[in-house]
């Protein structure tokens, strides 16, 4: 049975603003699922709360639209209980790096096999355009009464420090690249993070589609020189594998750092890091609890004819006093 | 002296980390091996080493329901304990103390609370006594308490072999010696002590050996010095059944394993953590068929993640729970609301502790009652089930998953620190008494892969057949926003009303379906003029107190609530209307449960008996308070203040 | 048609982002400039662009207290609004619509909720009408609603100058045109419209010019086409005082500035954020003396940080607040408990919204009532003050800081989305009516640098003189753990009891000290046999409803609670005992406030009138529900369901 | 008036376990306050909850023992309302990087002038020794039933990614160094983070005093070779100032990274980063609200004869409609 892209779409009316970057991301997710021919009923898309977090309602898989900032813990519980499911987590920059920053870090440490896609628009969209954690210091978008006095966070570097083993950046209007990145993220065995530059035409009048596209920077040929560029695989190798030496790792981290901090006129996109040397959380569980592999929590049989299956006496014997 | 009502109370105290728990464990086990029923109450500071802790063990030839304010034998091996516990020793009771400490000055004991120190100093001054432990001894003597001094170190030093050991090693054995000496005082068969010692230190034969030796010395020394026994001399009883000694954390943990909980999330917090540790230790276990007995225990980054991950797991069909205590519970407010609107069966085991805020982290209180009943903004159905004792705690830990799944709603298992740390001997639990009921959980065969599905379909009883994440044919959208039958967001006012009504309906059905005996119990004479109204951990004290009161000619019964939400308001109204005098009894400041009853029945509790010093209510306190109220001299609110 | 009770209701609807708010603003201001009192109610989806929103404006020559279910003139410029609001148009009312849209099919309108679409389609089928807007026009005609079609685009295109502009520009002016046309229909002096237009777009003369032109076209067109007026023709009134039009967020913001709040923390959340934005815009302001008028507004990483930072600021002596809505409030449970045990005056402004969970983020509900009253594990005193209208909201925003400081306790200012977004014309506020009372806050001169200080000294009234962080001589330790008078941790049971009692005592004192009129008000005839019991935003609707009911011969009064904690239980008991029929009215599912009353008084509310579809209660709904109950035919619980 | 070290001590009984590393840290804090002759009444020490968070009760300044994980938001509110106060924040690794991770990140972005001292013992001490976020993957301390299956977080790198402008590491038993580090942290204009390796003799039987001290690694001379070593100022320069070039910054970050990831046999201590190029939050506030400088919130006059001082009509005039 082959799934086509329509199989990943719902009929729910999409109420994002016209021109919102979210549309591109939504398409890319749907296309990557199709690309991989993932059975929509075996996929769950979790989200937080925000414009971007409405995404699951538009994707015809299982969808879990959770709480503001809590997408990762929800997704963690779902994935660990049913590891056979493909799990995507999606949400805004406010969701993931504002109220959700603690979970962003904690989940990084687990390296469980989910893919986290962050719609990074520099604002809290759904609450009408306040500065989000990625809005740069000193910038004043439309709805701010004063320039932003809180320093931005760099999502890529935070992901690195938190232990994400696949770190990429995409751009909402480069759906082809995005689709590939999401697929790579899903295929990566471990926790993937994809930071997506997402213009919010309604509230972010600084990092606009024009700005990312370099409409204000015409080259000699009169063409816009886009700010977002793709990492050249010949010049930048994001892979850390068992063969990579410590020395090389340090070099790669330094290169990662250099790329991750590029901003302004040159904004790299593509895979910035893929680390294959870390075990996943699921593997670690199996090490101490081999039964998990065959019978993860969602699949365990807990009753037989409505009676508990636990052999309780075995445990009671340990506690026996008479 | 007589074994009052067949029970004997023993208490050991000392600095945290100095072996108080082991001593109590030894004592309790040895008693249990000898056929006694044992009840234990553990008290300790929020501290790792050094602060005062104690363990009360009450034994009887019948099951012991609760603990008493007084102890018959206070066993000590430090200076602080006698200072603090003297008042607690019963008429005719005994004190065992370290003879070498009599000169220790009160002022030199840094861990005694300033207020206690002042009060003691004042009392010593009034009696013209020195500010040393000797003052306590003298006061005890005045009260005819039988005194047993044992110079632990000297006794050890006197031994050829042990005497050679460094002082620090010797010191680690005084706790064992205090237990041995205790057994000497109550004339107990010492072989049970040895059995207990071996059971506890199974894997450490050297420890057993050394401690056995030291214990023998203490036992012999005491036997020699004690004179005529003043305490009841306890003879072992016959037991024809296997028994366990377990505490509340273990009872709940066991219940979860039996109930099929296969995901437990937690963030460490006293007094809940021990339950999760128990589960981690038993993450793999035997089952009747196959080999899939296992539970995934996930330590999360905080309690917000704990509840959210548990919900995520519950959505996959796994029975999922999280276990916490008061501050952690405060962080779960938002998550619970999400589970509520998304009709997700997630279980929260809540061990209430002394609040507010960090409060009294290792003490008990029932002060989260109204909070648990109202937690979360907005209105959503919830099951709140409260256990009164460890047996209920075990079976309720199973039942609550059934309720959560049948009514597809978050469910709170309401416990407290007292229950977590109470210990009790039990016959083996009987799993044939319980069923696993999964409610309207759909099997794959009941769904059609690829077809549309309405997870929140409107049903007369409010309960929609439920699919789980990843299940073919059950595709669903969950949203914290108000939603349609398929789960997609909606702000339509008419759909909104229907969804609110659908969700609320589930509790109406729950109240009809849950057996009355799991909702509440009226203990004692049903036609009594006085009714004690309570829930949770005071149960044991209340049961024994009403026995005593009825024996002494006071017709008193006790209405114990188990199901707090949905609340059996009508039944309560009927029962309470029959009673002339209603007394709410609970361990908090404002009588929260009584207020809950009033809110639902408009029947007034004429009196409140409350306790909020963090120490569990004792049998004697209940008895005295009720007598006081019956005498007509009590204020509307009676405050219980026993506790050390 | 008459100006019913001197009031006229106007409503404009349309897609979010299409100018509905501006239209309403224009209309309201123009009316206000003409001397009318204005009341506004704003409804919108949790969405930025595209979903249906509407704004109801009710005007009168007397202050308007609330809004009604029906509207006299429905003004539209899209296809969706007539579909949704037809039923709302009053007997004799009018509909203004875009003539070019009559053929728009229902099915082509993606933002109409599926349920509404189905119901409409069914209704059209029953009437044999097409599934287009034309069906609505026909139905309106059948109901004798006067119909005014205006082809906005054609009107513009017909103009030489404007006709040249691109369609997208023209489209941005139809909202203004709809207002102009409205004024034509009510024969209003058009100069006020111009005044309003200029006031609103002050800084954009080009916008003013273009819109004025378009408006004139619409005005003229309508005048020409309307025929005999069917709506009341409104004549401007004289005003002899300056007036403002403000909404609830602004009223509270202003109150905070007046009340000396100098730190506000927040995390964005509807419908609270606008208050913080207002404060950010006014972070610097003029004061009577000197130049230090300022407020620090801190956007935090989440609501946990918001409450904790506000508390940290409050400890320094600054008046500190945080403002949030239901989900954010859920995250503040633990912080509030800390403030409680540490006797810290921190203010939380809570705008309740539709719950549970994310719920109905931009709709109103009073469903956090019991949660606010019980939030946080454990027991600690708290002030909960609820405003019933915007005037109270302003003054309460000042008073609540006084209460917080006098009783040294967290204080919750309880509001809701309805109040946040209600707008109303007011005379200038009078600050001479209020005082700033800082309670037992110590001046530097009252302390001795370097000396010991007991921040939590035991006092008869429970209120200990308070120092602030960094103050010489006031050195204090704060701890979430139970503590001694100096703030150091303690688990002493006796100190514990005293501290609990000390903290609780403060609320006893508060209840004695807070003026009765700030605790509750009995509106209407004090001896009425029927009493409506309520709190908060339904006030306006209730006040007008009891006026109507009493005029029509029904003796009904209305007991409005303002101070929910500490609760004036005795006063309520007395007042309610005098009444024969008690009816709880509130905007939630279970009648939470009624339950609160019952819990404290044991007086039963015989009926509940509740609403939980997220739309605020209207005057008509209250009136009808009470009449229904008085007729004896109503169920115990009457559910109000008006709303679009 | 000169303060001596006793002036910074309270008479409260200290109930940490004998031999706990916390004692050394407490001493170092008290000594650095004395060193700087800070008036105890002008200093506030905030803490979270845990063994380490009992610290304020032992220091004779203002003390605020807050909630588990919330030390930074409390301290932020206190400092911003009364910027004249010296503010220290202290607490455990669980407190700061477990439940408090979100605030750790969010506060980094503010760069306000406080000093955050983390007692890093690899365990949740007060709750009896569960794995804390810094316990390394695979390790099994005393009270763990199974080896730790969650990857550790590196506090230094997380601090860097979050925007801390002073990052140092100390060792609980090197009180002299610690004292100096704390002083430097306090003197640093901006947000300072000091990660302190703190043996917990009761629960952490892996990273013990002996282990840090290298008791198991005897050199040729038979002496223990400590694992903790001091960064050599000649080889490692942590300073980023206005003069530092972008190129140099990248080098410094790479060097930081290399040092921050050293563990095992070589554990660096000292100042790892000091960035003087960032404005503090207080400075940024003043830029848009100059009044803040002279009259911060705690000092503002809000009433005159109990009457509000706000000139309300000025604002009402803005909202006037008639
Ligand atoms: C606890 C809580 N606080 C605040 C909110 C309000 N809220 C809803 S969406 C949102 C921000 C959304 O911003 P972001 O995550 O960046 O998503 P975007 O809308 O930009 O896609 C906020 C603050 C909430 N729903 N819950
Ligand atoms: C909300 C909440 N959850 C859990 C706890 C229980 N708790 C108290 S201290 C502590 C951990 C302490 O670990 P750490 O911060 O590393 O400090 P340490 O004791 O190791 O110094 C925890 C989990 C709490 N007090 N509050
Ligand atoms: S507000 Fe911004 S992010 Fe949200 S839907 Fe509109 S354009 Fe997209
Ligand atoms: S448990 Fe560890 S960290 Fe806590 S006081 Fe004891 S030694 Fe120190
Ligand atoms: Mg965003
Ligand atoms: Mg720690």
């Amino acid at each position: 049975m082959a799934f086509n892209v329509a199989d990943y779409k719902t009929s729910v009316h999409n109420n994002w603003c016209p021109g919102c970057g979210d549309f591109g991301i939504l398409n890319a997710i749907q296309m990557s699922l199709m690309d991989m021919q993932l059975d929509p009923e075996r996929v769950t898309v979790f989200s937080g709360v925000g414009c971007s977090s409405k995404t699951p309602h538009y994707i015809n898989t299982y969808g879990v639209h959770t709480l503001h900032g809590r997408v990762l813990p929800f997704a963690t519980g779902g994935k660990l209980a049913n590891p056979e499911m493909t799990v995507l987590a999606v949400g805004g920059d406010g969701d993931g790096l504002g109220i959700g920053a603690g979970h962003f870090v904690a989940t990084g440490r687990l390296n469980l096999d989910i893919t986290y896609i962050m719609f990074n628009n520099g604002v809290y969209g759904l609450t009408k355009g306040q500065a989000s954690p990625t809005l740069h210091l000193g910038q004043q978008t439309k709805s701010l009464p004063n320039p932003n006095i809180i320093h931005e966070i760099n999502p890529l570097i935070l992901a690195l420090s938190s232990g994400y083993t696949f770190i990429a950046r995409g751009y909402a209007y480069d759906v082809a690249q995005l689709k590939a990145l999401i697929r790579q993220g899903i295929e990566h065995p471990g926790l993937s993070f994809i930071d997506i530059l997402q213009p919010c035409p309604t509230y972010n009048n600084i990092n606009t589609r024009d700005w990312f596209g370099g409409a204000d920077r015409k080259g000699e040929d009169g063409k816009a020189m886009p700010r977002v560029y793709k990492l050249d695989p010949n010049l930048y190798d994001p892979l850390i594998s068992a063969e990579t030496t410590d020395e090389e790792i340090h070099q790669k981290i330094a290169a990662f750092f250099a790329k991750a901090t590029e901003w302004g006129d040159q904004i790299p996109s593509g895979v910035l890091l893929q680390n294959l040397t870390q075990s996943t959380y699921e593997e670690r569980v199996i090490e101490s609890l081999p039964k998990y592999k065959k019978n993860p929590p969602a699949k365990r049989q807990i009753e037989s004819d409505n009676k508990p299956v636990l052999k309780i006496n075995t445990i009671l014997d340990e506690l026996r006093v008479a | 002296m007589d074994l009052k009502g067949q029970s004997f109370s023993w208490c050991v105290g000392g600095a945290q980390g100095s072996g108080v728990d082991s001593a109590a464990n030894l004592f309790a086990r040895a008693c249990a091996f000898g056929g006694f029923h044992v009840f234990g109450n553990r008290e300790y500071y929020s501290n790792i080493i050094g602060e005062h802790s104690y363990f009360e063990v009450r034994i009887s030839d019948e099951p012991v329901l609760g603990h008493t304010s007084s102890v018959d034998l206070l066993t000590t091996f430090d200076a602080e304990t006698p200072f603090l516990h003297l008042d607690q020793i019963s008429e005719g009771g005994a004190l065992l103390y370290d003879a070498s400490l009599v000169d220790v000055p009160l002022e030199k004991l840094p861990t005694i609370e300033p207020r206690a120190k002042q009060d003691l100093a004042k009392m010593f001054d009034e009696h013209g006594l020195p500010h040393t432990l000797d003052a306590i001894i003298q006061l005890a003597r005045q009260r005819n308490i039988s005194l047993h001094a044992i110079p632990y170190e000297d006794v050890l030093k006197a031994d050829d072999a042990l005497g050679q050991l460094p002082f620090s090693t010797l010191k680690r054995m005084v706790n064992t010696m205090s237990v041995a000496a205790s057994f000497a005082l109550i004339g107990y068969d010492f072989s049970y002590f040895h059995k207990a010692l071996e059971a506890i230190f199974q894997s450490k034969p050297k420890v057993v050996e050394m401690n056995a030796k030291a214990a023998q010395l203490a036992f012999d020394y005491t036997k020699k010095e004690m004179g005529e026994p003043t305490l009841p001399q306890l003879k072992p009883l016959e037991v024809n059944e296997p028994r366990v000694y377990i505490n509340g954390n273990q009872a709940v943990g066991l219940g979860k394993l039996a109930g099929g909980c296969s995901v437990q999330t937690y963030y460490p917090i006293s007094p809940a953590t021990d339950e999760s540790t128990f589960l981690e230790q038993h993450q793999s276990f035997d089952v009747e068929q196959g080999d899939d007995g296992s539970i995934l225990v996930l330590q999360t980054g905080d309690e917000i993640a704990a509840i959210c991950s548990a919900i995520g797991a519950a959505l996959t069909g796994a029975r999922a729970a999280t276990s916490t205590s008061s501050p952690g519970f405060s962080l779960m407010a938002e998550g619970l609301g999400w589970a509520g609107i998304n009709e997700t069966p997630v279980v929260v085991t809540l061990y209430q502790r002394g609040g507010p805020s960090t409060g009294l982290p290792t003490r008990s209180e029932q002060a989260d009652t109204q909070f648990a009943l109202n937690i979360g903004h907005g209105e959503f159905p919830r099951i709140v089930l409260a256990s009164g004792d460890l047996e209920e705690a075990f079976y309720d830990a199973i039942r609550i998953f059934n309720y959560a799944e049948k009514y597809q709603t978050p469910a709170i298992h309401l416990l407290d620190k007292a229950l977590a740390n109470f210990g009790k001997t039990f016959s083996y639990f009987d799993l044939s008494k319980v069923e696993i009921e999964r409610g309207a959980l759909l099997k794959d065969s009941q769904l059609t892969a690829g077809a549309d599905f309405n997870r929140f379909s409107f049903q007369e009883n409010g309960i929609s057949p439920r699919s789980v994440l990843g299940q073919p044919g059950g595709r669903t959208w969950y949203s914290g926003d108000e939603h349609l039958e398929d789960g997609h967001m909606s702000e339509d006012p008419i759909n909104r009303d229907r969804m609110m009504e659908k969700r609320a309906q589930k509790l109406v059905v729950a109240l009809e379906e849950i057996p009355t005996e799991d909702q509440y119990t009226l203990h004692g004479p049903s036609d009594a003029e006085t009714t004690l109204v309570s829930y949770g951990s005071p149960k044991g004290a209340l049961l024994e107190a009403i026995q005593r009161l009825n024996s002494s000619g006071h017709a008193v019964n006790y209405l114990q609530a188990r199901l707090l939400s949905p609340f059996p308001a009508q039944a309560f109204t009927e029962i309470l209307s029959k009673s002339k005098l209603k007394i709410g009894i609970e361990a908090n400041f404002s009588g929260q449960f009584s207020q809950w009853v009033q809110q639902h029945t408009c029947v007034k509790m004429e009196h409140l008996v409350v306790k909020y010093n963090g120490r569990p209510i004792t049998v004697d306190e209940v008895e005295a308070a009720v007598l006081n109220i019956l005498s007509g001299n009590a204020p509307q609110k009676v405050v219980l203040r026993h506790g050390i």
Side-chain angles (χ1 to χ4, degrees), chain A residues 60 62 65 306 317 321-322, chain B residues 33 243 428 436 471 475 478:
Chain A
N60 201 19
Y62 275 92
H65 181 196
N306 296 336
D317 286 346
V321 288
Chain B
F33 281 135
R243 283 196 196 141
Y428 274 26
I436 304 277
Q471 194 175 24
R475 187 159 28 194
Y478 291 92

Side-chain angles (χ1 to χ4, degrees), chain A residues 16 20 22 48-54 66-70 91-99 118-134 198 200 203, chain B residues 334 377:
Chain A
W16 287 327
C20 176
D22 291 358
V49 166
C51 295
S52 42
S53 289
K54 292 178 177 174
T66 73
L67 293 166
H68 188 41
R70 314 304 171 198
D93 45 353
D95 199 75
L97 302 171
I99 192 168
M118 206 181 71
F119 296 42
N120 182 352
N121 60 8
V123 293
Y124 288 105
L126 192 53
T127 47
K128 300 195 291 184
Q130 297 81 12
S132 90
T134 60
Q198 175 243 314
C200 163
Y203 294 118
Chain B
E334 205 195 3
H377 61 278

Side-chain angles (χ1 to χ4, degrees), chain B residues 6 8 42 80 121 141 155 187 214 230 261 282 308-309 335-336 364 418 422 448 466 506 520 573 633:
Chain B
Q6 314 292 5
F8 176 77
R42 184 170 163 239
E80 180 165 356
R141 193 165 290 131
V155 169
T230 61
C261 175
H282 297 90
C308 294
S309 292
L336 281 165
S364 195
F422 280 164
T448 311
R466 177 167 83 99
K506 296 187 295 181
Y520 58 87
T573 309
N633 300 323

Side-chain angles (χ1 to χ4, degrees), chain B residues 488-501:
Chain B
H488 286 304
M489 291 178 281
S490 164
E491 302 191 21
D492 176 39
I494 292 177
N495 175 75
R496 157 69 171 185
D497 278 357
R498 291 185 70 188
M499 276 294 167
M500 284 295 286
E501 287 151 17

Side-chain angles (χ1 to χ4, degrees), chain B residues 65-76:
Chain B
L65 305 175
H67 69 302
T68 50
S69 300
S70 62
V71 298
D72 300 316
L73 169 53
L74 177 66
T75 294
T76 74

Side-chain angles (χ1 to χ4, degrees), chain B residues 39 55-56 88 94 102 194 269 298 310 334 346 375 399 490-491 520 522 558 601 629:
Chain B
F39 182 93
F55 211 123
E56 294 165 324
Q88 201 188 0
V102 285
H194 284 288
I269 190 162
L298 174 69
E334 205 195 3
V346 69
I375 191 171
R399 281 185 198 110
S490 164
E491 302 191 21
Y520 58 87
L522 183 63
Y558 151 42
T601 64
I629 289 170

